[in-house]
């Protein structure tokens, strides 16, 4: 996909990478379990079973950014929406295991524990997700 660079406004081609995900390993294990050992490597070779990672305008914080939207072709300030992510769930799990049974849902309500999704305010195109904890 071709998008304008937010610094120099030149059109640049984004880089797409395919990497093995949970579906890839799940299908390989199923093939092994059913006796198809010779075919277990096929899910690792097929791009449909892999996670697609696009390297383009990745958000670097929870603060709104001013970027060109590749869909509506306008320079906009992103709209930020907070959603629970790995950090919120990890803190909730630790609180639950420590016996704070009535307080373990608090991290899912606090924005500073949540991941930030950046959207275009006009066309609702998602620019990316700022993860507080990369897993």
């Amino acid at each position: 996909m071709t998008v304008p660079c937010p610094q120099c406004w030149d059109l640049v081609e984004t880089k797409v990478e395919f990497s093995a995900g949970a579906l890839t390993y799940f299908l390989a294990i199923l093939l092994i379990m059913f006796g198809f050992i010779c075919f277990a490597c096929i899910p690792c070779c097929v791009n449909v079973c892999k996670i697609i990672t696009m390297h383009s305008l990745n958000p670097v914080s929870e603060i709104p950014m001013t970027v060109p939207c590749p869909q509506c072709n306008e320079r906009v300030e992103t709209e930020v929406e907070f959603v629970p992510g790995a950090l919120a769930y990890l803190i909730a799990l630790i609180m639950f295991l420590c016996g704070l049974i009535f307080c373990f849902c608090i991290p899912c309500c606090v924005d500073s524990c949540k991941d930030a999704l950046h959207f275009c305010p006009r066309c609702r195109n998602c620019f990316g997700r700022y993860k507080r904890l990369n897993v």
Side-chain angles (χ1 to χ4, degrees):
M1 183 165 100
T2 304
V3 295
C5 174
Q7 278 82 27
C8 64
W9 286 87
D10 287 338
L11 290 177
V12 293
E13 193 71 28
T14 57
K15 181 180 174 187
V16 177
E17 290 181 0
F18 294 96
S19 59
L23 178 63
T24 306
Y25 298 121
F26 177 72
L27 291 174
I29 290 170
L30 274 179
L31 287 169
I32 291 170
M33 285 175 52
F34 289 111
F36 298 105
I37 297 171
C38 300
F39 302 110
C41 65
I42 291 176
C44 297
C45 301
V46 179
N47 287 340
V48 174
C49 301
K50 295 183 179 180
I51 297 171
I52 301 171
T53 306
M54 288 187 67
H55 299 281
S56 58
L57 307 171
N58 292 328
V60 291
S61 73
E62 74 265 0
I63 300 169
M65 313 179 311
T66 303
V67 294
C69 178
Q71 225 171 18
C72 63
N73 294 324
E74 293 197 29
R75 191 162 176 81
V76 295
E77 185 169 316
T78 60
E79 192 175 282
V80 179
E81 183 179 311
F82 293 97
V83 294
L87 180 65
Y89 294 130
L90 180 66
I91 293 172
L93 177 67
I94 291 170
M95 292 175 80
F96 182 78
L97 294 175
C98 289
L100 301 169
I101 296 171
F102 299 110
C103 302
F104 76 93
C105 63
I106 292 174
C108 294
C109 301
V110 177
D111 285 346
S112 61
C113 294
K114 295 180 181 180
D115 292 351
L117 290 175
H118 288 260
F119 290 98
C120 174
R122 297 176 191 202
C123 65
R124 298 297 294 165
N125 178 37
C126 183
F127 290 111
R129 182 181 193 131
Y130 170 67
K131 295 182 180 182
R132 299 198 185 270
L133 180 66
N134 287 324
V135 179

